[in-house]
């Protein structure tokens, strides 16, 4: 899988700065592409029990629309996910053909977390996936300045 193409996809996602762009690589052909989500009405239909803020997160689009709806319809069966921390891990997984599809998703910001928590909702799976994790204990920080 071309490392430059992966970097180009990630740079496009970062430069875009929105939650609308995702990167994908199919291991069948090794091609990296970006896709812009342009169908909020589809997420409203598929995740009607969630707020527009929740439905607008790229990770929610990936899970609800791509993994739970589009892939099972196209391939039959439920999609299985493996989460990685580093961009290189995504490329390595694609090169080793460990998965048929590799996705790059922009991170949620603290503003996203605050807005969704303000709606009394939980963040989508792995949207706050970060490293390193605390070994033990709990840390509280104010979400708003004083």
């Amino acid at each position: 899988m071309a490392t430059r193409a992966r970097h180009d996809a990630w740079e496009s996602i970062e430069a875009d700065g929105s939650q609308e762009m995702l990167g994908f690589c199919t291991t069948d052909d090794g091609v990296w592409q970006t896709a812009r989500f342009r169908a909020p009405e589809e997420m409203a239909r598929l995740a009607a029990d969630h707020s527009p803020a929740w439905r607008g997160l790229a990770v929610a689009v990936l899970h609800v629309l791509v993994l739970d709806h589009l892939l099972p319809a196209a391939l039959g069966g439920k999609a299985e996910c493996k989460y990685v921390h580093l961009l290189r891990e995504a490329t390595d997984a694609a090169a080793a053909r460990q998965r048929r599809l590799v996705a790059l998703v922009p991170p949620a910001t603290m503003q996203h977390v605050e807005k969704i928590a303000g709606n009394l909702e939980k963040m989508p799976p792995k949207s706050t996936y970060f490293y390193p994790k605390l070994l033990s204990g709990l840390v509280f920080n104010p979400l708003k300045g004083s």
Side-chain angles (χ1 to χ4, degrees):
M1 308 296 140
T3 301
R4 182 73 242 154
R6 174 205 64 198
H7 280 290
D8 289 347
W10 183 248
E11 286 176 7
S12 294
I13 291 168
E14 284 186 313
D16 181 70
S18 76
Q19 291 287 305
E20 296 176 354
M21 187 176 284
L22 293 94
F24 295 99
C25 176
T26 55
T27 57
D28 290 343
D29 61 12
V31 174
W32 283 91
Q33 297 184 31
T34 56
R36 183 173 303 279
F37 178 63
R38 298 184 188 265
E41 66 281 353
E42 191 64 15
M43 279 297 287
R45 183 181 69 78
L46 294 171
D49 54 334
H50 290 286
S51 70
W54 189 97
R55 294 189 307 252
L57 285 175
V59 71
V61 171
L62 176 66
H63 277 272
V64 173
L65 184 63
V66 177
L67 298 177
D68 294 344
H69 184 70
L70 295 176
L71 285 181
L75 303 176
K78 183 160 175 47
E80 181 184 322
C81 250
K82 177 184 178 186
Y83 298 93
V84 296
H85 295 285
L86 304 173
L87 192 55
R88 175 160 179 115
E89 291 175 289
T91 303
D92 291 348
R97 295 181 179 252
Q98 293 172 340
R99 298 290 185 261
R100 292 184 67 193
L101 178 71
V102 177
L104 303 177
V105 182
T109 66
M110 203 55 218
Q111 290 79 19
H112 293 117
V113 174
E114 185 176 338
K115 189 166 190 170
I116 290 167
N119 291 332
L120 302 177
E121 293 178 285
K122 292 181 182 177
M123 293 292 288
K126 301 300 181 187
S127 58
T128 56
Y129 190 55
F130 62 91
Y131 187 81
K133 299 279 189 196
L134 293 174
L135 294 177
S136 66
L138 194 58
V139 178
F140 289 93
N141 286 316
L143 292 178
K144 293 187 178 189
S146 39

